[in-house]
Amino acid sequence: LTFPEPHLPPGISYLKVQKILFCAGDQNLFTSIYPTLSQQLPREPMEWRRSYGRAPKMIHLESNFVQFKEELLPKEGNKALLTFPFLHIYWTECCDTEVYKATVKDDLTKWQNVLKAHSSVDWLIVVVENDAKKKNKTNILPRTSIVDKIRNDFCNKQSDRCVVLSDPLKDSSRTQESWNAFLTKLRTLLLMSFTKNLGKFEDDMRTLREKRTEPGWSFCEYFMVQEELAFVFEMLQQFEDALVQYDELDALFSQYVVNFGAGAVKCHFHTPAA
């Protein structure tokens, strides 16, 4: 999908960000919702503010939705931004007490344990409410909804990490209000995760650069890290920021060669293992 560039006030630029989301839970449910979600998510822009006095930018968030598999999660030490899952979403339309106790609760527990094991803290649980299905159920929780139960069991003090999407395939004002609230939450969490992980990537890169005088430091390994940051800025259409990364690499390489010629450092240009 392509969207026209909006009319923006002076000092505000326009760009698109495409992020990876891992989806767990009821895959058939997600498949039914995906066409509408993929169309609506990028339509409204979000304001992205970075530190150091940079001008804010309006971002249209586009995402790749990938089925959750533990083997696809980043391994320890993998700092790749281009393939990093920025948000994990669990989908369920459970409205039955016994089904929740027998299967959904256990599945959610396993899902959260995997995320914790991989230090993944950006997640969202989506409960899809379908009035037609609820009318056919007799085991509805009498004093508390499934949503409240999930929040109590899994969200602790983060009750906003469980949201409701009401009859998403209906054409009604209630459905549209529910979609709007859900999309605002999803965009907010995506932008928060992207900003946080981009900042951490830059901090880790600076830490690695500061070790360049230590024995065994590899310019090739460092080059790949900063080059990825340049790729990210190119993806964001922030070409000046991308060029800064290459200028820094050129200056670092020149200094490295000078130091090597003077015998100050031992050169390590080996290609890192795959």
Side-chain angles (χ1 to χ4, degrees), residues 144-157:
T144 180
S145 68
I146 291 289
V147 175
D148 291 334
K149 189 68 176 172
I150 290 175
R151 285 173 177 163
N152 289 333
D153 290 341
F154 298 100
C155 298
N156 296 322
K157 296 180 180 180

Side-chain angles (χ1 to χ4, degrees), residues 9-250:
I12 306 294
S13 60
Y14 171 88
L15 54 95
K16 290 184 180 179
V17 179
Q18 190 166 39
K19 296 290 114 211
I20 295 176
L21 290 85
F22 275 10
C23 295
D26 190 333
Q27 296 297 320
N28 290 331
L29 171 64
F30 172 70
T31 299
S32 69
I33 294 171
Y34 171 73
T36 304
L37 176 59
S38 62
Q39 290 178 21
Q40 293 198 20
L41 182 62
R43 287 186 176 174
E44 295 295 329
M46 294 286 288
E47 185 180 75
W48 182 41
R49 290 185 176 271
R50 297 183 66 196
S51 57
Y52 310 115
R54 293 182 176 95
K57 297 171 173 55
M58 298 305 292
I59 298 181
H60 282 252
L61 295 159
E62 296 182 346
S63 297
N64 291 329
F65 294 89
V66 179
Q67 183 174 352
F68 176 81
K69 294 180 181 179
E70 184 174 0
E71 58 266 27
L72 296 179
L73 294 177
K75 303 297 188 294
E76 186 176 354
N78 184 349
K79 305 181 186 303
L81 272 176
L82 296 175
T83 57
F84 188 85
F86 281 85
L87 188 65
H88 296 272
I89 306 178
Y90 188 97
W91 298 84
T92 181
E93 59 179 348
C94 176
C95 59
D96 185 299
T97 308
E98 298 306 317
V99 171
Y100 175 75
K101 291 180 179 179
T103 60
V104 176
K105 183 176 180 180
D106 184 56
D107 197 38
L108 272 166
T109 300
K110 292 177 180 178
W111 175 68
Q112 284 210 337
N113 286 340
V114 170
L115 295 185
K116 289 176 183 177
H118 289 266
S119 301
S120 298
V121 297
D122 296 309
W123 51 269
L124 182 67
I125 299 171
V126 181
V127 180
V128 177
E129 288 189 345
N130 186 314
D131 286 342
K133 289 191 176 184
K134 288 177 70 174
K135 291 177 182 177
N136 296 326
K137 297 293 182 180
T138 59
N139 295 322
I140 305 301
L141 288 170
R143 285 177 292 182
T144 180
S145 68
I146 291 289
V147 175
D148 291 334
K149 189 68 176 172
I150 290 175
R151 285 173 177 163
N152 289 333
D153 290 341
F154 298 100
C155 298
N156 296 322
K157 296 180 180 180
Q158 296 177 292
S159 60
D160 63 329
R161 291 303 180 102
C162 179
V163 298
V164 178
L165 188 56
S166 301
D167 284 315
L169 301 182
K170 275 190 175 182
D171 184 13
S172 67
S173 58
R174 178 170 175 263
T175 293
Q176 192 56 52
E177 289 176 4
S178 178
W179 265 114
N180 290 340
F182 168 64
L183 290 169
T184 297
K185 170 60 67 176
L186 187 56
R187 293 176 187 128
T188 300
L189 290 177
L190 269 173
L191 194 55
M192 287 171 55
S193 178
F194 174 71
T195 303
K196 177 184 65 179
N197 285 286
L198 178 62
K200 187 177 186 307
F201 187 90
E202 291 178 301
D203 289 342
D204 290 343
M205 185 188 75
R206 282 189 286 268
T207 299
L208 182 60
R209 184 171 57 213
E210 290 170 358
K211 296 180 179 180
R212 63 188 179 276
T213 59
E214 297 180 5
W217 189 87
S218 169
F219 178 82
C220 286
E221 291 181 1
Y222 176 78
F223 178 91
M224 294 179 68
V225 173
Q226 190 155 3
E227 184 184 42
E228 176 154 357
L229 183 60
F231 285 157
V232 170
F233 285 130
E234 287 182 44
M235 179 186 69
L236 297 174
Q237 301 178 30
Q238 301 305 292
F239 302 116
E240 289 186 2
D241 286 337
L243 284 173
V244 167
Q245 308 309 313
Y246 289 117
D247 286 342
E248 289 182 356
L249 282 170
D250 179 61

